Amino acid sequence: MKTTTVTTEVLNDLVQINNDRIEGYEKARKELKDGDEDLKSLFLNMIEESQKYKLALATEISALGEDIETGTTTSGKIYRGWMDVKALFTGHDRQTVLNNCEFGEDAAQNAYKLALEEEDLPSNIRSLISDQKASLRQSHDEIKRLRDAQA
């Protein structure tokens, strides 16, 4: 029973992180200028990536007979609010958007790292989380590469 509860909590946390990521990239796409079609396309791919991960996590939660979280994390809301304030003062240039996106990718990496530190996860869930974390790491590194190219 305890293992199911812990597993559900971990999976729901990751669902919420993916919800944050989707909202963050939707916001980032709106902040970009017309000439930033490359980033708009990349961000759309990242939204689709998180939707896919969220579905896989939700499938596991359903298999455990538990309810799936539909919201975002409190920290995610704070992060998006901070992005809104920062954007008022710094504009909507590529560098700023990419900096904000890297901040979000760091948060996602940390959430997945914390999830993997949970000892009571079944091996199939641990494998799913580990695979998603590795893929999200590639997205993080792509955002970082693009950000560094702007400097």
Side-chain angles (χ1 to χ4, degrees):
M1 182 65 183
K2 179 179 180 275
T3 300
T4 300
T5 302
V6 168
T7 301
T8 301
E9 286 175 4
V10 167
L11 291 171
N12 268 318
D13 284 349
L14 296 178
V15 165
Q16 290 177 322
I17 286 295
N18 278 285
N19 286 340
D20 287 343
R21 195 168 178 261
I22 291 165
E23 283 191 34
Y25 279 114
E26 286 172 347
K27 178 171 177 24
R29 288 186 82 222
K30 291 175 187 162
E31 288 184 5
L32 292 168
K33 294 179 175 55
D34 288 340
D36 294 323
E37 300 309 318
D38 61 329
L39 291 184
K40 288 181 182 181
S41 176
L42 175 66
F43 294 170
L44 183 59
N45 289 341
M46 293 187 175
I47 290 167
E48 291 169 354
E49 177 182 53
S50 273
Q51 288 169 335
K52 181 177 84 172
Y53 294 161
K54 188 172 91 168
L55 179 61
L57 296 164
T59 299
E60 294 298 333
I61 295 167
S62 292
L64 294 169
E66 301 292 331
D67 293 330
I68 301 156
E69 289 290 335
T70 57
T72 57
T73 64
T74 303
S75 60
K77 290 176 185 170
I78 291 168
Y79 160 66
R80 283 189 303 280
W82 178 83
M83 266 180 67
D84 290 341
V85 171
K86 187 172 181 184
L88 290 174
F89 297 106
T90 59
H92 304 277
D93 60 83
R94 285 174 70 95
Q95 180 77 35
T96 301
V97 171
L98 287 166
N99 280 337
N100 290 338
C101 290
E102 187 183 7
F103 183 85
E105 289 299 324
D106 287 343
Q109 281 296 305
N110 190 47
Y112 273 81
K113 177 182 170 284
L114 290 172
L116 288 169
E117 289 173 1
E118 181 55 56
E119 295 175 9
D120 293 330
L121 291 177
S123 61
N124 66 315
I125 300 293
R126 183 172 301 285
S127 178
L128 171 69
I129 293 170
S130 183
D131 291 348
Q132 287 187 3
K133 182 182 186 301
S135 183
L136 286 169
R137 183 69 201 186
Q138 292 176 347
S139 295
H140 170 277
D141 292 348
E142 176 68 5
I143 292 292
K144 186 177 185 324
R145 183 188 67 73
L146 289 167
R147 192 229 35 216
D148 290 349
Q150 295 297 308

